[in-house]
Each structure stands twice: as structure tokens, then as C-alpha cells.
């Protein structure tokens, strides 16, 4: 099927671009906008002739063809992580600049399901002059339309405010598709090419549902229909300029019939413009925004609120997609995290080992395969889980292929840097939790652990082993704290937890040996408690079961085997806290009412508890205690339906384990579900929260979510996306949840937070059946959430670093390095992390990579070389390093950590080599910030329009990073 799907996409893209290029050349007045580079490249790389490529260059220069957004895809805004949104934009922009010397300046975000406040900031940082969205809540859109408030200047970030604001246009109720109804015919209008049928188009050229052609008999009627719609829309905007989108999904595959019909219409309207009161012209998005900008009006400012959740009708809350296909969501984030690690690992290798034996060209191709796979899945019908199972499999296959490539690359770098002989018994691989520790007994088994963060970390890595009698040793042969215990879901394997302490962007080697004795890993001691019936347990037990570490004491109620409360020791704050699984039962029959599907969440009633009985097992250890709760549908059920594995970590003396001690790690086991069930974990606390919830936008900034009561669908319309962080709080205490994949999250009661973990649905809506969008997801999912509880200020600081630590957990590799004996301490200068890269705790190393683009950083040079036809084919540039640094705090959020930070880039990266040149760039790298002048739209705050140029350029390699800034640089090393 992958082949069929990709062939049909290629055939569709080929038809669109071949016919559009041909038709644009037939009329100088004609215009077309192109959005997603993934589809354009299907044509450009594999179909377009040299002549067609030359014609594209000419059409771009003449302004007939315009690239808008310019990323690989039109990315999702609800559940995608900011890192991945930046990546996919960067990949697309790099291609466009390298190939055409152009830089998109307008967004066309018409289809994502709701709009995030992170997006306007990203597009402003990328150099855009205006932003366009469409899917916002139907109630809100109606009100904005009525009051002519569909256009505004959006200050998406409260800290960056006017420095990264952007003019934003919200499409009216007709959205981005041409209204197809024509009053003079039962057939549709304006879609003259019909419905796309690929890869096998009809031989006679007659496609399904082709609109009524324009003829002399109906020309006047067609024109009147179009003019009436234009005038209706004009009443909703402040200027006389009306953006009238012509097209929809999968259109223009036969551009000839489209343009020839529309030409007749536009000619007629313009010949009769006085009586009709309208003139019409073909336009790109840039033409429209330029006309609007020239009007010199004063626009209202919108603050940092987002447009979530999105409902299209009273019972259509698009909040199911926050959780749909949880496996894909988790896998895409793991792939993103591996790419992040692989990029910095390769960059350091190239800079520190210029004569290394790993082939740089091949390495770049390996990295690129994962860059493109991670970019592709950010599509608004990708990571959202709103695709068919066949397309989901395509995404998974591309991600797996890219991950395998990057694992191979990292493994080959480890071998090369350790001068291992390439014998048959020498191998290296990135750890796969399902495969366990590999290798022959007579070869030294090394676990190589890489920390991809620019902070020193102390954490545990876990590997699966086949027997418990093991010892772990560092590079000097010293024993390393470790604990081994039976795996919670397998009787045949053990989990080995190794305590690792690693500097920023460094790796360490640990040897794992089979042995019995006092130096072996501590073996966890299991205590099992009887299964308890929840239906009969009403009174609380007199004696609670305490489990804890030096940061928390967690109490469990032996009457129910449920959590009872958590005490944060430093502040001595105790919070009542219980956790249970619930399921929403949903309808799948359209004749019986609203349905849930991949997109929509439409619960029949309140959620119901799933378990009548819970069993408890506690594995006590000196480094970690694991509490295993198994949830059964009734007291006598043979198999459990849900599980929670809660881990508390103890840190030995001499280790900096604050982050490790302060988190309560939870892993959930959910599935397979029954049909039309949506599974949630509900955490109920004694906090008086007034049902206020806080959730993040894309892992970048937080939004306050007040519970709202609606006439219809109140439960679903109070669900929000949680990409990385959510919290609830009262006057003094905050409970933070950190996630490694996106979920829907809600507060349906005071002191409550519930996280949707999994969905399995079937419905008989014809559209869903046609596109196989019934979400029969029978998988078992294992999402992980870290809980942090305590005083607000302390948890705020902990959650910033912990969120990144969860996202970018260390990469574990195996290496069997023959003959690599530990050296005595005096000889060893700890070569594996002799040059750490360390940032202060309020700055995050967002990107450190070698992009490999071959474009010139000087715009005039780049444009000139393209005009001269000198695109350097395949000449990847390994000397240019891309660096991004992000400030994690909002202005005023913390008295110390919200301050601007001065960073000397030369000294920060001295371990990688000598930086000789720093160029500050726009977010995606295509603009020199000193030449980037974005349109400044008139507002009450800024009464004159002009250009905004708002960067402090770096002097002497020193930059000052202000709250919430993301700063992008090209670095060149000696």
C-alpha cells in the first residue's frame, strides 16, 4: 500500500505542477500559490524537466508563482513540539533558498485544527510579514466576523510582545474553499477539474463531479453568484479588499480547465465592474497583503491567547485528535529526540575529528532521512492521528528508517572515536529496549551513554537484561551505583537501572559484567499486597503504607491499594491525591447522535471508572522504589486492564540528584480498549483550583484554561492539548505533569486533572468510512508522565529543566570494544567528556547541527549564482554550523532566572574548536538579521507603519539572550 499511496501522491503532485506551470505561462495575469515543499519536491526532484525547472524560476521572478509558508508541510499547531515545527520550516526554507534564492514571507495556515499562539512568534522569527489562519471556534468566528475583527496584529508571546508581533488574517465562515453552490444549477460551481482520481486518472479526462462549465448562456449568472459572495464577505472586513480563495483540497490537477473557465468570469466582471460594483484580479497571497498594508489602517492588537479548542459545530469539538494514535505521537517524539542527539553528536565529531573515518556525505544523508521523516509527520493530518491506518504506517516506516540510519551513524562514530578494530565480534548499536543487552560473553560489554543536553545531568538509564547478577563499572574500573529487578510485564527479563552523571553534550562508557558478590548491582526486593475490592471499600484504612525518598513521602491506602496523598518534604506540604482510570463511552452510530472519530470527541455522558479491584506490588531498592498498581475490571478478573508503575528515586551521597529526586515518574499501561472507549487517567487532589488548568502551547509557553460551561458538549469543549506540560495549583502548591508525547487534558472538577491516554473508535459516518478514519486502534500504549509537586516557585524552576530532561533523555548505545581495558587513573584525563558544552539553567540548546546547505550566506551572492545557473549540485557545506539558543523563562516569571543572559559563543563552544565567525540569522537561517526588515503594521501602540528590525547583533562573539527569545546563528570554526 505504501507504494500505491506514494505513487498516487506523486501522480497528483505531478499533474498539479506540470499543468499549473504550463497554464501560468499562457496568461501573464494568472497567479498560483504553493505551500508544502514535500509535495512540490515530488514533482521537482522526480518529474520536472530542465525546461519546466527554468520556467518555475521565471514565474517566481515575475510574481506569478509564490511559495507561502515554505515548510516541508503545513504543520499541526495543537500537538506538535516547537522543535519539530522549526525543523520542518527550516528544511523547506533551506531547499527554497538553495534552489531559487527566495524566502517565503507569508503564512497560509488554513487547515490546522485550532491556532496556537506559538505560531505567530515562529513565523515572525522566520521573517514573515503576515500570517493567515482559518479554523477557530465557530462561536468566536461568528462574533469576530460580525464585528469586523477578523484581522489584527497578534503578539503571540507575552515576553517578546511587539518585537515579534505579526499581522494576522482569520478567514471568514467560508474558510479556504470556494463555495461550490450555484443557484442556477444542481451541479457544483468553480471546481471545473472535479475530484482527483490518482494514480489511475480516467482516460477520457472526465473526472467525477466536474463543475458546470462557464458558457455564454450562464456567464452572467456565474458572475452574479461570485459577486454576491464577494460582497457578502466584504461586509465582514475593514477594507474594500476581499481575499476570495479559489480552490480547495486536491484541486488544480487539471489547471487548464480551471483557468480557462475563471478567465471568462474575471473578464466579464471587470467589463461590467461599474454595474456590478466589483473589480476582480488573480492574486497571490503577497499581492493581497501588500494591498492591505498600503491602506495604512490602524489595527487592533491581540495578546498571547491562542484559539484552542476548535469546534466547528455545537457537537463537533475537535479535541479527540489531541490523543488519537498515541503510539504514533510517542514514536514521532522519540524520533525527534534521537535526531536532536544525533545532530550534536555528528557536529562534534566533524569539528573534533576532521580526519575521522566516518564518511561525512553518507552521515549527512543518514541525518537527512530522519530530518525529513520527523518533518513530514508534523503535517496537520500526521502527528494529529487523523490519517488512515495505511498513511500512519507510511509515517511509521519513514520514521523507523530514519531512526535506524541515525542509530547506525552514532554507533559508527562511537567505534571510530574509540579506535575499535572492525572485527566481527566488535559491533555497536543504539539500545532498543525490546532487545536487551546483546553480544558474546567473552567480549567486554560497554554501555555508552550520550547526554544531548547542554547541562550536566544525573539520571538513571534502564536496560533490559536476562539475569540479575551483574556489576557496572565506569571508565576507571570503579563500581557505579545500579539496581536490578524483575520487569513489571515480563517473567523472563530484568530491568537494570544505572545511575549516570554526564556533562553537557558528552558521553560516558560503562562496563556491565556478570558477577556475584558485594560489588554487584543491588537487587530490588518485591512485596506483593492482596487485590482489594474498590466497591466495598468506603472507610479509609487506619494505617497507610508509606513509600518515599528524600524529597517525597507517598502514602497508599491498603483498603483500596490506591494512592492516598503526597507530602513534599522540604516545604512539608501534604496534598490528598488519588489516581484512577476512567473511560468515556462514545457513540459510533450517526443515526443515534454525535460521534467521536479521529478528530472529534463527543462523550455520551460523564466518564465511568474502569476498575472494581486493584492489586499492589512494591519493589523496594536502595536507588529506586517502584510501586506497581494493577487495575482489574472486577475482583475475580484474571487479567488486569490497566496498570500504573510509579518510580521514586534515591540519590547516593556525592551526586547532584535534585532533579532526579524531585520527580515522581509514572508509566501507564493502557489497552487494548473495547470499541468506542476513550481512556483517561484522572488525578484528584485536595487542591482548591477553581477548575483552572494551565497547559502549554507546543512546549514553548503556557496558557491559562478556565473551565467554561456550554449549552452543548461541555466536557469535550474543555479539553486542551498538552504537548509537554500541564499543571493545576492553589494559592501555595502546584502539581505539574510533564509528558513525552501529546495528550488531551482537562479539569472536569475542582482539584482535578485528567489526561486522555488512549482512544479506540468505530463509526458509520460515510466520510469516515470512505477515508478509513474510524480509529480502530487496538494497540497497547505505555505513555510516561513525570509528576512534580511543591511550592509554586520551586516547581516552576524544576519543571523547566525537567521538561527538557524528559524530552531529551540520554541515548544509550551498546559497544563491544575488544581489548579496551581500563587505564590507571593517572593516565586517564577523562577523554570522553573533556570538553563539555554547558549553558546556565534558564537557557536551552535548541539546535546544534551541520545542515549541509550549499547556499551563500550573502543574499546578493546567492541570487547572482542562481541567475547564472550555478546551483552547486551536491556540494554540501560542512563548515557551517547551525546553533539555536532558547531562553526558557517568561519576563517576570522568576526573580533570577527571568533575567537576560549574556553568552560568549566562542567560550561556550571552545571544546569543539575555535569559532572564527558568528552570523546571526532568522529562525530558519535564510536571512541575515541585519538585513531583515519586516513590515510594521500600524496599531494604537505604533501609530506609524514602517519596518521592524529588532535584533541586538553579536559583538566579540557575545550575545544577550532575553526572556523567551530563540536566537539562531551560523558559526564557522577555524
Amino acid at each position: 500500500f505504501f507504494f500505491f499511496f506514494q505513487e498516487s501522491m506523486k501522480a497528483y503532485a505531478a499533474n498539479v505542477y506540470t499543468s499549473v506551470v504550463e497554464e501560468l505561462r499562457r496568461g501573464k495575469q494568472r497567479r498560483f500559490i504553493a505551500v508544502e515543499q514535500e509535495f512540490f519536491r515530488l514533482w521537482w526532484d522526480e518529474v520536472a524537466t530542465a525546461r519546466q525547472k527554468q520556467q518555475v524560476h521565471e514565474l517566481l521572478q515575475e510574481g506569478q508563482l509564490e511559495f507561502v509558508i515554505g515548510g516541508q508541510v503545513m504543520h499541526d499547531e495543537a500537538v506538535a513540539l516547537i522543535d519539530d515545527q522549526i525543523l520542518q520550516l527550516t528544511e523547506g526554507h533551506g531547499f527554497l533558498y538553495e534552489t531559487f534564492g527566495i524566502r517565503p514571507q507569508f503564512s497560509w495556515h488554513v487547515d490546522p485544527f485550532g491556532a496556537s499562539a506559538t505560531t505567530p512568534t515562529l513565523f515572525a522569527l522566520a521573517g514573515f510579514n503576515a500570517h493567515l489562519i482559518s479554523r477557530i471556534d465557530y462561536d468566536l468566528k461568528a462574533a469576530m466576523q460580525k464585528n469586523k475583527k477578523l484581522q489584527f496584529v497578534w503578539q503571540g508571546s507575552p515576553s517578546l510582545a511587539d518585537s515579534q508581533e505579526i499581522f494576522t488574517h482569520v478567514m471568514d465562515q467560508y474558510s479556504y474553499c470556494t463555495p461550490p453552490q450555484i443557484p442556477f444549477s444542481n451541479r457544483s460551481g468553480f471546481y471545473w477539474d472535479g475530484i482527483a482520481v490518482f494514480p489511475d486518472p480516467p482516460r477520457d479526462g472526465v473526472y467525477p463531479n466536474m463543475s458546470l462549465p462557464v458558457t455564454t448562456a450562464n456567464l452572467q449568472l456565474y458572475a452574479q453568484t461570485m459577486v454576491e459572495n464577494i460582497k457578502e464577505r466584504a461586509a465582514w472586513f475593514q477594507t474594500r479588499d476581499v481575499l476570495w480563495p479559489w480552490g480547495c483540497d486536491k484541486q488544480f490537477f487539471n489547471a487548464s480547465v480551471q483557468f480557462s473557465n475563471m478567465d471568462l468570469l474575471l473578464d466579464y466582471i471587470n467589463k461590467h465592474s461599474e454595474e456590478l460594483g466589483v473589480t476582480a484580479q488573480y492574486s497571490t497571497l503577497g499581492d493581497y497583503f501588500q494591498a492591505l498594508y498600503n491602506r495604512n489602517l490602524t489595527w487592533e492588537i491581540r495578546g498571547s491567547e491562542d484559539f484552542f479548542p476548535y469546534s466547528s459545530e455545537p457537537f463537533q469539538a475537535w479535541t479527540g485528535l489531541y490523543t488519537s494514535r498515541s503510539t504514533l505521537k510517542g514514536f514521532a517524539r522519540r524520533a525527534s529526540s534521537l535526531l536532536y542527539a544525533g545532530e550534536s553528536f555528528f557536529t562534534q565529531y566533524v569539528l573534533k575529528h576532521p580526519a575521522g573515518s566516518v564518511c561525512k556525505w553518507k552521515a549527512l544523508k543518514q541525518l537527512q532521512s530522519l530530518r525529513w521523516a520527523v518533518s513530514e509527520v508534523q503535517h496537520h493530518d500526521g502527528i494529529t492521528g487523523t490519517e488512515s491506518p495505511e498513511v500512519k504506517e507510511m509515517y511509521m516506516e519513514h520514521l523507523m528508517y530514519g531512526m535506524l540510519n541515525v542509530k547506525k551513524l552514532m554507533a559508527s562514530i562511537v567505534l571510530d572515536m574509540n579506535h575499535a578494530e572492525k572485527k566481527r565480534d566488535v559491533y555497536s548499536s543504539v539500545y532498543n529496549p525490546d532487545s536487551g543487552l546483546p553480544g558474546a560473553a567473552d567480549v567486554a560489554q560497554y554501555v555508552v551513554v550520550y547526554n544531548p543536553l547542554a547541562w550536566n545531568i544525573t539520571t538513571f538509564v534502564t536496560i533490559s537484561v536476562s539475569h540479575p547478577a551483574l556489576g557496572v563499572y565506569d571508565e576507571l574500573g570503579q563500581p557505579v551505583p545500579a539496581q536490578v529487578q524483575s520487569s513489571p510485564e515480563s517473567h523472563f527479563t530484568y530491568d537494570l537501572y544505572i545511575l549516570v552523571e554526564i556533562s553537557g553534550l558528552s558521553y560516558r562508557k560503562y562496563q556491565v559484567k556478570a558477577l556475584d558478590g558485594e560489588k554487584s548491582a543491588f537487587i530490588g526486593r518485591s512485596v506483593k499486597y492482596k487485590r482489594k475490592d474498590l466497591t466495598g471499600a468506603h472507610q479509609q484504612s487506619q494505617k497507610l503504607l508509606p513509600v518515599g525518598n528524600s524529597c517525597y513521602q507517598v502514602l497508599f491506602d491498603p483498603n483500596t491499594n490506591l494512592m492516598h496523598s503526597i507530602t513534599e518534604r522540604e516545604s512539608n506540604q501534604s496534598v490528598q491525591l488519588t489516581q484512577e482510570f476512567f473511560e468515556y463511552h462514545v457513540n459510533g452510530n450517526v443515526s443515534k447522535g454525535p460521534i467521536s472519530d479521529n478528530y472529534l470527541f463527543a462523550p455520551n455522558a460523564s466518564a465511568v471508572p474502569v476498575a472494581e479491584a486493584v492489586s499492589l506490588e512494591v519493589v523496594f531498592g536502595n536507588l529506586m522504589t517502584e510501586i506497581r498498581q494493577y487495575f482489574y475490571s472486577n475482583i475475580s478478573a484474571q487479567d488486569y486492564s490497566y496498570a500504573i508503575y510509579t518510580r521514586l528515586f534515591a540519590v547516593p551521597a556525592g551526586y547532584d540528584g535534585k532533579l532526579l529526586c524531585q520527580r515522581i515518574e509514572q508509566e501507564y499501561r493502557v489497552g487494548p480498549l473495547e470499541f468506542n472507549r476513550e481512556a483517561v487517567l484522572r488525578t484528584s487532589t485536595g487542591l482548591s483550583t477553581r477548575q483552572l488548568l494551565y497547559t502549554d502551547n507546543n512546549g514553548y509557553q503556557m496558557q491559562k484554561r478556565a473551565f467554561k460551561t456550554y449549552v452543548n458538549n461541555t466536557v469535550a469543549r474543555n479539553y486542551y492539548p498538552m504537548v509537554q506540560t500541564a499543571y493545576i495549583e492553589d494559592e501555595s502548591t502546584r502539581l505539574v505533569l510533564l509528558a513525552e508525547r501529546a495528550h488531551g487534558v482537562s479539569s472536569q472538577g475542582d482539584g482535578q486533572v485528567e489526561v486522555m491516554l488512549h482512544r479506540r473508535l468505530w463509526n458509520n459516518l460515510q466520510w469516515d468510512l470512505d477515508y478509513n478514519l474510524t480509529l480502530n486502534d487496538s494497540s497497547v500504549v505505555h505513555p510516561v508522565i513525570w509528576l512534580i509537586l511543591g511550592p509554586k516557585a520551586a516547581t516552576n524552576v524544576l519543571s523547566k529543566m525537567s521538561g527538557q530532561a524528559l524530552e531529551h533523555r540520554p541515548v544509550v548505545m551498546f559497544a563491544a570494544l575488544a581489548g579496551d581495558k581500563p587505564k590507571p587513573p593517572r593516565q586517564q584525563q577523562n577523554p570522553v567528556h573533556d570538553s563539555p558544552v554547558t549553558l546556565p539553567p534558564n537557557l536551552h540548546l535548541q539546535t546544534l547541527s551541520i545542515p549541509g546547505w550549499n547556499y551563500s550566506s550573502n543574499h546578493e551572492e546567492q541570487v547572482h549564482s542562481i541567475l547564472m545557473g550555478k546551483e552547486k549540485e551536491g556540494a554540501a557545506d560542512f563548515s557551517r554550523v547551525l546553533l539555536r539558543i532558547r531562553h526558557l523563562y517568561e519576563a517576570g516569571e522568576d526573580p533570577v532566572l527571568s533575567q537576560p543572559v549574556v553568552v560568549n559563543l566562542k567560550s561556550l563552544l571552545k571544546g569543539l574548536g575555535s569559532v572564527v565567525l558568528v552570523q546571526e540569522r532568522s529562525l530558519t537561517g535564510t536571512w541575515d538579521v541585519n538585513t531583515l526588515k519586516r513590515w510594521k503594521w500600524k496599531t494604537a501602540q505604533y501609530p506609524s507603519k514602517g519596518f521592524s528590525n529588532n535584533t541586538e547583533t553579536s559583538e566579540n562573539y557575545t550575545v544577550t539572550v532575553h526572556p523567551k527569545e530563540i536566537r539562531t546563528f551560523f558559526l564557522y570554526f577555524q
Side-chain angles (χ1 to χ4, degrees), residues 326-336 396 399-400 403:
S326 178
T327 304
L328 176 65
K329 284 175 164 67
F331 199 68
R333 285 273 280 272
R334 267 170 52 200
S336 164
M396 292 287 281
L399 289 166
M400 278 189 260
M403 288 174 82

Side-chain angles (χ1 to χ4, degrees), residues 615-672:
S615 68
L616 181 69
E617 176 186 4
V618 183
V619 182
F620 293 96
N622 59 355
L623 295 176
M624 183 196 69
T625 300
E626 183 173 67
I627 303 102
R628 301 169 178 175
Q629 292 165 286
Y630 300 98
F631 293 74
Y632 296 84
S633 55
N634 57 62
I635 194 75
S636 55
Q638 197 170 349
D639 297 316
Y640 56 90
S641 47
Y642 289 82
I644 303 178
Y645 310 123
T646 302
R647 301 178 188 114
L648 291 162
F649 301 100
V651 185
Y655 286 86
D656 174 17
K658 187 168 171 60
L659 282 186
L660 187 53
C661 174
Q662 290 276 8
R663 68 177 178 247
I664 299 172
E665 179 175 304
Q666 292 197 317
E667 179 186 341
Y668 313 104
R669 184 201 181 278
V670 183

Side-chain angles (χ1 to χ4, degrees), residues 367-404:
L367 285 165
Q368 193 177 62
S369 68
L370 190 53
R371 289 175 189 167
W372 287 12
V374 172
S375 294
E376 166 188 82
V377 78
Q378 305 314 315
H379 189 280
H380 57 275
D381 275 318
I383 197 161
T384 49
T386 54
E387 65 284 278
S388 69
E390 296 85 358
V391 178
K392 187 241 349 180
E393 288 302 326
M394 181 198 76
Y395 285 131
M396 292 287 281
E397 189 173 81
H398 291 176
L399 289 166
M400 278 189 260
Y401 174 71
M403 288 174 82
L404 183 64

Side-chain angles (χ1 to χ4, degrees), residues 849-851 853-855 857 877-882 970-972:
S849 73
I850 293 178
W853 303 305
N854 57 40
Y855 61 67
S857 300
D877 181 355
F878 290 97
S879 68
R880 173 167 37 207
V881 172
L882 175 67
F970 284 164
L971 306 178
Y972 298 87

